[in-house]
Amino acid sequence: MRRVIFLFVFTLFFQSAILIRDSYKAAVLEHSPKDARNVHINVVTNLRLYLEYLEQAAFQDVEIIVFPEDGLTGSKVPASDLPHTSTEVPDPMDRVTPCLDRNGSYASFLVELSCASKRHQIYAVVNLIESARSKVDSYTVYHKTNIVLDRSGTIIARYRKINLHNEENYVAGLNTVSTFSTDFGVTFGTFASYDILHKNPAFDVLNNENVTDIVYPSAWYGELPFYAANSIQHGFAKSQSVNILAAGLNDPVTGNGGSGIYLADGRLLSTYVSGEKASKLIINNVPKLKLRYDVSNICQGSSTFPIQPMNVEVPDIKLFRTLTTDLSNYTLESIDLSTNQDVSKIICNKNEDFCCSFNITSNRYSPIWPNYFYKLVLYDGVSKVSSDKSIGLRNCALVACANDTDESCGERNNIPPTGINFIDISISATFTKPDLNLIPITTTYDLIPSTQYVFCQKAKSHKVDVTMHTTQEHDALLTFGILGRVFSYDDKPQGVYNSAVVYNLHLFTIISFCFAHFFY
Ligand SMILES: *[C@@H]1O[C@H](CO)[C@@H](O)[C@H](O)[C@H]1NC(C)=O
Ligand SMILES: *[C@@H]1O[C@H](CO)[C@@H](O)[C@H](O)[C@H]1NC(C)=O
Ligand SMILES: *[C@@H]1O[C@H](CO)[C@@H](O)[C@H](O)[C@H]1NC(C)=O
Ligand SMILES: *[C@@H]1O[C@H](CO)[C@@H](O)[C@H](O)[C@H]1NC(C)=O
Ligand SMILES: *[C@@H]1O[C@H](CO)[C@@H](O)[C@H](O)[C@H]1NC(C)=O
């Protein structure tokens, strides 16, 4: 008996020793900024809160802390306030420690952050407004910039946001990716918010094989069915096989919020989104990845994952306001879930070089509900995502709709979907392979992703086969599908590229479909 206990204790000790060595401790802050009239006072107040969170994290032996986009200033900074809410940022090559600067070159908030980093010996990732002198005409321009301070308060990375989102007062960064290495042996890439949907930098930074983790300050407007913040964060991590530390700005009345720590294999250490204004410091041990898997031929996710993710918090989530994407150019196909029959359908674009096939088994457990409708959607086209940006998409998904109209798909009201659960959902899709990347998107009524599914990609010469299937029952589901980013369509004219055709799967169509699509 004693030997058994000894062995058990020894094993525990040994395992935790491995855990310590094989992981690092990270914090992300979901921050609800003080957002009064006077932006200058806001910076002072938010800075004080940042320094408190940084200290709290350091006391818990956190090695790197990530602050959200716009967290120092709030998102709306009038142009006239930019000069006194911004700072110059030195080139990381110059290894400048603003805390030691005697020249007064940097705004006091940057100096204080640098000193705090140094004092607590912690890496800090901060998004701020950078003022820079334009090389061309020596005017001052402003960038939205992520900076990284190392344990001595030195600036080791500077990333100027490339994909601005209705941020007219700022100048986009040049097309360069930003990475940095740490003394705990992890190399990070960094970008911000809507960058995550863009080849440059989100996918390009992964061309550096040393990058295994991403630090991601964000200020994200949640939009259904495809763009809930936490769903994108999780889907990106899982499909690209990269750990993500996501820190979101919190402002739920504008649909802003969502933070978490997501692992490359699809596990979720923490995810947080709040329906009321709130700040939250999330701390986890993050397993180190030796290397990123090649995602072009891999299945991510497993039926052996714990059913409940480790740390999910969604306070007052009913109050969180989500926007709804205009799906009027999508092909939507109603499905009848009233009789508990299995649904089998294939939807293809007109050229038939993009098809999604769905098999769905559901259980209607209430005679009066369900209170939401569900539709299958396919889109092959270009959509506007901001005043001056359009992105190419090839999406397919099962989505919840508030009623049986197409316009209500992606709406979310104050009652969760009730009366139906999905026993099994399988989606398979074939994408021709110009320049694209595929992100699984799953969203429940709580605006968090599901981890109970497997996502597989199999690249062939000219196409990618994707399958996505559940490993558990799902209820209160809003979205289950694939967001296909077709980079080669970016900034082309908006609209449908290939209108779609729906096939009901009767035996004949299955056979002819298979001959037509799978066997050549
Ligand atoms: C301060 O200015 C001097 C002279 O311009 C320069 O050599 C030095 O690097 C500056 N120090 C910092 C910390 O920027
Ligand atoms: C990756 O790390 C190795 C070893 O430190 C280094 O030699 C190589 O240049 C790095 N690759 C890139 C793309 O930075
Ligand atoms: C369906 O939902 C939409 C959006 O919530 C609403 O505007 C519309 O009136 C509803 N239509 C019906 C027929 O209930
Ligand atoms: C759906 O079911 C049909 C018939 O059993 C099968 O041929 C097809 O591969 C299934 N598709 C998916 C996406 O699971
Ligand atoms: C739908 O497509 C048309 C062109 O076919 C385009 O003008 C319109 O802006 C598109 N609407 C949306 C919401 O994407």
Side-chain angles (χ1 to χ4, degrees):
M1 187 63 193
R2 186 175 286 175
R3 174 176 290 184
V4 172
I5 292 174
F6 171 77
L7 259 179
F8 177 65
V9 171
F10 180 78
T11 314
L12 269 185
F13 172 78
F14 193 63
Q15 279 180 345
S16 53
I18 286 178
L19 207 75
I20 289 164
R21 209 179 58 222
D22 287 350
S23 66
Y24 67 95
K25 204 164 193 182
V28 298
L29 178 68
E30 168 113 352
H31 180 58
S32 176
K34 295 296 168 246
D35 209 350
R37 283 263 168 75
N38 186 323
V39 184
H40 181 62
I41 293 177
N42 291 343
V43 173
V44 174
T45 319
N46 289 314
L47 174 68
R48 212 189 55 234
L49 293 168
Y50 269 34
L51 297 180
E52 280 168 19
Y53 283 115
L54 187 144
E55 186 170 313
Q56 267 184 46
F59 280 149
Q60 296 178 65
D61 298 322
V62 165
E63 289 159 287
I64 183 166
I65 179 169
V66 187
F67 294 96
E69 185 179 24
D70 295 338
L72 280 171
T73 52
S75 348
K76 295 269 167 286
V77 179
S80 57
D81 284 323
L82 290 171
H84 49 276
T85 49
S86 58
T87 181
E88 282 185 25
V89 175
D91 188 328
M93 303 277 268
D94 297 339
R95 300 271 140 183
V96 171
T97 306
C99 184
L100 303 178
D101 176 50
R102 298 280 167 265
N103 300 346
S105 313
Y106 309 108
S108 60
F109 67 83
L110 181 57
V111 173
E112 286 200 48
L113 283 163
S114 161
C115 293
S117 232
K118 183 171 187 300
R119 188 163 60 249
H120 295 292
Q121 300 185 16
I122 186 173
Y123 288 87
V125 182
V126 180
N127 175 273
L128 46 72
I129 303 173
E130 178 191 354
S131 60
R133 221 158 261 287
S134 154
K135 290 216 172 64
V136 188
D137 45 21
S138 87
Y139 275 111
T140 299
V141 296
Y142 296 95
H143 300 287
K144 296 289 287 289
T145 300
N146 296 346
I147 61 151
V148 182
L149 298 159
D150 72 5
R151 292 189 204 268
S152 57
T154 303
I155 291 185
I156 56 167
R158 175 181 72 183
Y159 166 73
R160 294 169 170 168
K161 189 176 172 188
I162 296 170
N163 299 284
L164 297 168
H165 190 80
N166 301 331
E167 293 162 303
E168 301 82 5
N169 295 332
Y170 303 96
V171 172
L174 294 175
N175 292 342
T176 48
V177 298
S178 176
T179 66
F180 62 97
S181 298
T182 53
D183 61 9
F184 48 91
V186 176
T187 300
F188 291 85
T190 186
F191 49 79
S193 270
Y194 287 85
D195 284 330
I196 202 167
L197 294 177
H198 292 271
K199 181 174 166 62
N200 186 354
F203 298 89
D204 284 352
V205 77
L206 300 176
N207 290 337
N208 179 334
E209 74 276 8
N210 297 341
V211 172
T212 53
D213 295 53
I214 300 287
V215 283
Y216 176 55
S218 181
W220 185 279
Y221 295 92
E223 187 175 307
L224 294 171
F226 292 102
Y227 305 116
N230 307 57
S231 301
I232 294 265
Q233 293 161 7
H234 176 254
F236 187 90
K238 183 162 176 159
S239 58
Q240 309 307 313
S241 181
V242 67
N243 295 333
I244 296 191
L245 318 182
L249 187 80
N250 173 281
D251 188 9
V253 283
T254 64
N256 229 305
S259 300
I261 298 182
Y262 307 84
L263 301 187
D265 60 8
R267 275 178 299 162
L268 187 161
L269 292 182
S270 290
T271 198
Y272 177 86
V273 54
S274 165
E276 293 273 26
K277 265 178 162 296
S279 296
K280 165 96 187 162
L281 186 67
I282 295 165
I283 297 178
N284 283 124
N285 280 311
V286 183
K288 290 179 193 169
L289 282 181
K290 294 277 175 304
L291 78 174
R292 251 183 310 120
Y293 294 107
D294 170 13
V295 293
S296 64
N297 250 309
I298 198 176
C299 288
Q300 297 282 71
S302 145
S303 49
T304 60
F305 283 176
I307 294 180
Q308 282 305 320
M310 281 165 97
N311 188 1
V312 172
E313 278 188 63
V314 290
D316 309 305
I317 196 63
K318 281 183 187 179
L319 303 175
F320 194 96
R321 240 198 72 210
T322 45
L323 309 171
T324 306
T325 304
D326 181 344
L327 299 178
S328 53
N329 285 336
Y330 280 58
T331 301
L332 292 101
E333 176 70 9
S334 295
I335 51 174
D336 179 11
L337 299 174
S338 63
T339 54
N340 281 342
Q341 284 196 343
D342 295 357
V343 172
S344 264
K345 279 198 173 158
I346 295 177
I347 309 181
C348 289
N349 68 357
K350 198 172 60 199
N351 290 356
E352 301 200 340
D353 59 354
F354 169 44
C355 292
C356 303
S357 118
F358 300 85
N359 288 343
I360 297 165
T361 309
S362 59
N363 173 35
R364 182 186 177 195
Y365 59 82
S366 157
I368 26 176
W369 305 96
N371 52 343
Y372 282 67
F373 286 68
Y374 285 90
K375 300 199 185 203
L376 306 176
V377 303
L378 177 139
Y379 184 59
D380 180 10
V382 172
S383 290
K384 202 166 179 169
V385 286
S386 69
S387 58
D388 63 347
K389 269 208 161 58
S390 296
I391 60 174
L393 293 169
R394 277 189 165 176
N395 297 348
C396 51
L398 169 72
V399 303
C401 311
N403 56 39
D404 61 354
T405 67
D406 288 355
E407 299 74 52
S408 73
C409 295
E411 299 248 342
R412 171 179 176 271
N413 58 39
N414 54 10
I415 310 169
T418 312
I420 203 148
N421 52 30
F422 291 95
I423 295 166
D424 197 65
I425 307 169
S426 300
I427 301 179
S428 72
T430 307
F431 296 80
T432 46
K433 197 172 60 180
D435 205 5
L436 62 73
N437 222 300
L438 306 167
I439 302 174
I441 299 290
T442 57
T443 308
T444 67
Y445 181 78
D446 289 342
L447 299 174
I448 57 168
S450 159
T451 52
Q452 305 303 311
Y453 70 95
V454 175
F455 181 73
C456 303
Q457 306 191 58
K458 192 180 262 177
K460 297 179 181 162
S461 53
H462 297 297
K463 49 186 185 170
V464 190
D465 288 338
V466 176
T467 59
M468 184 173 173
H469 64 88
T470 53
T471 54
Q472 287 283 325
E473 284 187 20
H474 282 68
D475 55 12
L477 194 64
L478 295 183
T479 307
F480 190 90
I482 302 160
L483 176 74
R485 275 289 288 110
V486 185
F487 304 123
S488 44
Y489 289 179
D490 282 2
D491 296 319
K492 296 228 165 101
Q494 271 184 77
V496 189
Y497 276 51
N498 287 291
S499 53
V501 183
V502 179
Y503 301 86
N504 282 305
L505 280 193
H506 303 302
L507 192 58
F508 175 73
T509 40
I510 293 179
I511 293 169
S512 51
F513 182 84
C514 289
F515 272 110
H517 296 279
F518 294 130
F519 297 142
Y520 67 85

